[in-house]
Amino acid sequence: MNEIVKSIYEYPYKKIELDELKKLIKLNEYSDLVETINSLISRGVIKPVNKSGKNGLNPSLFLKYHIIKNFITDKMLIDELNSLHYLIDADAFKKNMEKYIKNRNFILTLDAFLKAHSDDLLYPLSENERAYQIWNDEKALDKKDGKDNIILLKNCNAFDILNTYSTPEPFLDYRIRKNIKNVLVIENKDTWFTVRKIMLHNPNFIGLFDTKIDCVIYGEGRKVTKRNNSLQDYLNIDSHFKGKVWYWGDIDNEGIDIFLSFVNVSPQLDILPFSAAYEKMIELFETLLSGNNNSRLKGHTNQKHSENISEFYKKIDHKVAERIKLLLYDEYYIPQEIINHKVLKDYVYCEGEK
């Protein structure tokens, strides 16, 4: 980089065309050229002439640049790094000066905040609140928009000091006890409303199908399979959840795959299929099969089988698993709604019944 800077400074004019700049930089790959020019701009070596227009490529570059004589030298940058607040690991940038130059304003803003308002970090804030407090940009620590900033802060050991908490996407839930130990996650909205209605109308409600339930959550299809803003994060907001999670969905390849994906993204949760409900779904469906409407009971034949479907069968009751295998083999599909309110109310147990 120093050789490039020296060549630019020896250029006989105050402005330089992009084509001439390319010759001085001597890089074949366009992506490398863009990175180098952006670094020169960050260092204050050159400044785009906005009126010159751009080259039309992606990412685009201006066609002309001012050459600035009083740019920041490497020595100045080292001195600046040495003066950073002690909570920022400056050594992480000394090993990669280009990374510091690229993110210099972001780090200097944090440095200024730490030097003037470090006591504010004693009080926890949400990630968006803290991001706005420090950088006046609520998305600066967003797991999507601010992903690179998060990595940068972790590299210099400055992320944890921010004392933030995540705010996972809220799930629709209904709780009957403050201390939640048994959670039922339901794939579809109608079934969730039915269960919630039963819980509301039974003041001594304990559970369903001889299983204790403290909270029922609407899984919204694949929402529970999200890695970010996961149900695991949601349950851990108040304290580290150590209870049991039951999952109840449709009996088809899609429903089983949702369960397996949910398990995969939530390693800290103890998740099991709600076997008794699945068994009742099969019982009701087999009654339908005994009639003459078999063709209407066929499922979605374009669904792919999950590669790990055997893991679902291991977690559910063995006899139920065997019956599900046969139904899926014959391409049948059983929606949760087969257990309607009239059916489910007979499988509620309340305080004093056990």
Side-chain angles (χ1 to χ4, degrees), residues 14-161:
K14 292 182 179 180
K15 295 179 183 178
I16 184 169
E17 302 276 349
L18 177 59
D19 288 340
E20 291 299 315
L21 192 54
K22 287 180 187 176
K23 294 176 184 177
L24 297 181
I25 294 175
K26 299 175 182 177
L27 290 172
N28 294 324
E29 294 294 330
Y30 182 70
S31 59
D32 294 335
L33 176 68
V34 171
E35 185 177 345
T36 301
I37 288 178
N38 286 335
S39 179
L40 290 168
I41 293 170
S42 298
R43 283 172 175 260
V45 177
I46 58 175
K47 180 182 178 182
V49 178
N50 294 330
K51 292 183 180 180
S52 68
K54 294 185 177 182
N55 62 356
L57 300 178
N58 185 22
S60 59
L61 290 170
F62 283 93
L63 296 174
K64 188 180 289 187
Y65 299 84
H66 296 284
I67 296 175
I68 303 167
K69 297 297 181 182
N70 58 338
F71 83 108
I72 302 169
T73 65
D74 284 350
K75 182 181 182 307
M76 293 166 65
L77 288 171
I78 292 295
D79 290 343
E80 188 172 271
L81 284 170
N82 288 333
S83 70
L84 291 178
H85 192 279
Y86 72 93
L87 289 174
I88 302 173
D89 182 6
D91 288 340
F93 297 118
K94 290 176 183 177
K95 298 172 185 176
N96 189 342
M97 292 293 284
E98 291 304 314
K99 179 178 287 187
Y100 177 65
I101 291 166
K102 182 180 179 181
N103 300 282
R104 182 167 171 259
N105 290 336
F106 183 81
I107 294 299
L108 289 178
T109 301
L110 174 60
D111 174 63
F113 177 84
L114 291 174
K115 288 174 178 175
H117 307 289
S118 59
D119 286 351
D120 286 358
L121 297 180
L122 296 175
Y123 192 90
L125 297 181
S126 75
E127 290 167 356
N128 284 10
E129 290 169 346
R130 185 72 79 203
Y132 193 82
Q133 182 185 47
I134 298 174
W135 293 282
N136 297 141
D137 177 7
E138 74 279 8
K139 298 295 184 182
L141 299 176
D142 184 79
K143 288 182 173 65
K144 181 179 179 182
D145 298 335
K147 182 180 178 181
D148 291 341
N149 291 335
I150 294 173
I151 293 172
L152 179 74
L153 292 170
K154 287 183 177 180
N155 286 343
C156 65
N157 298 319
F159 184 77
D160 290 340
I161 66 170

Side-chain angles (χ1 to χ4, degrees), residues 282-301:
I282 294 169
E283 178 187 317
L284 294 170
F285 189 77
E286 288 174 343
T287 300
L288 291 177
L289 283 179
S290 64
N292 298 316
N293 296 319
N294 294 21
S295 60
R296 291 198 295 114
L297 300 176
K298 290 289 183 177
H300 312 294
T301 57

Side-chain angles (χ1 to χ4, degrees), residues 151-181:
I151 293 172
L152 179 74
L153 292 170
K154 287 183 177 180
N155 286 343
C156 65
N157 298 319
F159 184 77
D160 290 340
I161 66 170
L162 299 182
N163 194 13
T164 62
Y165 54 85
S166 61
T167 52
E169 191 74 20
F171 284 82
L172 202 58
D173 71 40
Y174 178 68
R175 312 176 182 207
I176 58 171
R177 277 173 280 276
K178 186 176 181 180
N179 186 18
I180 298 173
K181 292 184 179 179

